[in-house]
């Protein structure tokens, strides 16, 4: 049996990463999401959650839950605090991804292992994967999708994008680029093609 390929999917804000990963899942891939893992880790009941509370203060806990909005406000303009938070979270996220990868290998049900990681290059996590896929889309389309899905304005989009590597730089560093400039049907067709190529070891 072929070794289960460990693939990261990355890209800029609202470029279509989640749609790409959904299509990979439909095709039989084992898919994990870094943001969802962070959400699971950020609980007062986890070791990481307790460390984050110790770092940022108990006021981040509201009604028994850690509020990510309060965390964002605390670290937004405090680079040192943001770095400390990232140094706690990122290793834990990659540990969890590795744990799920090993589980997927044991189960032998999936054709590919896919991890959606928006800030892969920014946290220097690319070495954890066999292959990197970058999802690229027209910047104006990304901005419009971001505004439609979040309700935030163009300034917020610009602000968040300024914390990421430019999309062109991500594309340069990736092994495969999935171009999301058409409709969802076009995107699915591209994912099917990439899946076929990767799942058969080419």
């Amino acid at each position: 049996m072929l070794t289960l390929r460990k693939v990261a999917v990355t890209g800029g804000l609202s470029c279509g990463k989640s749609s790409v990963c959904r299509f990979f899942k439909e095709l039989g891939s084992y898919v994990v999401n870094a943001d969802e893992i962070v959400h699971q880790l950020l609980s007062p009941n986890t070791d990481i959650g307790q460390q984050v509370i110790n770092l940022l203060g108990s006021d981040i806990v509201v009604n028994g839950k850690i509020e990510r909005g309060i965390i964002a406000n605390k670290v937004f303009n405090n680079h040192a605090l943001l770095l400390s938070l990232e140094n706690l979270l990122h290793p834990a996220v990659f540990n969890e991804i590795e744990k799920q990868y090993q589980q997927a290998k044991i189960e032998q049900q999936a054709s590919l292992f896919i991890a959606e990681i928006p800030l892969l290059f920014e946290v220097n996590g690319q070495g954890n994967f066999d292959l990197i896929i970058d999802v690229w889309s027209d910047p104006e389309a990304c901005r419009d999708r971001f505004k439609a899905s979040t309700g935030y304005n163009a300034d917020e989009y610009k602000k968040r994008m300024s914390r990421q590597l430019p999309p062109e730089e991500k594309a340069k560093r990736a092994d495969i680029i999935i171009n999301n400039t058409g409709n969802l049907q076009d995107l699915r067709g591209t994912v099917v093609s990439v899946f076929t190529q990767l799942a058969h070891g080419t």
Side-chain angles (χ1 to χ4, degrees), residues 30-93:
Y30 188 112
V31 176
V32 299
N33 179 300
D35 285 343
E36 286 175 9
I37 291 171
V38 168
H39 193 71
Q40 289 157 14
L41 291 172
L42 281 179
S43 161
N45 303 322
T46 64
D47 289 341
I48 288 291
Q50 281 301 316
Q51 289 176 56
V52 172
I53 292 167
N54 291 339
L55 174 70
L56 299 177
S58 59
D59 58 320
I60 66 170
V61 182
V62 178
N63 297 326
K65 292 181 179 175
I66 292 177
E67 286 290 333
R68 293 176 72 172
I70 298 175
I71 291 176
N73 288 335
K74 280 180 177 261
V75 303
F76 185 68
N77 290 314
N78 188 329
H79 190 63
L81 205 54
L82 177 62
L83 277 180
S84 297
L85 178 65
E86 289 177 342
N87 287 339
L88 282 177
L89 289 177
H90 292 152
V93 169

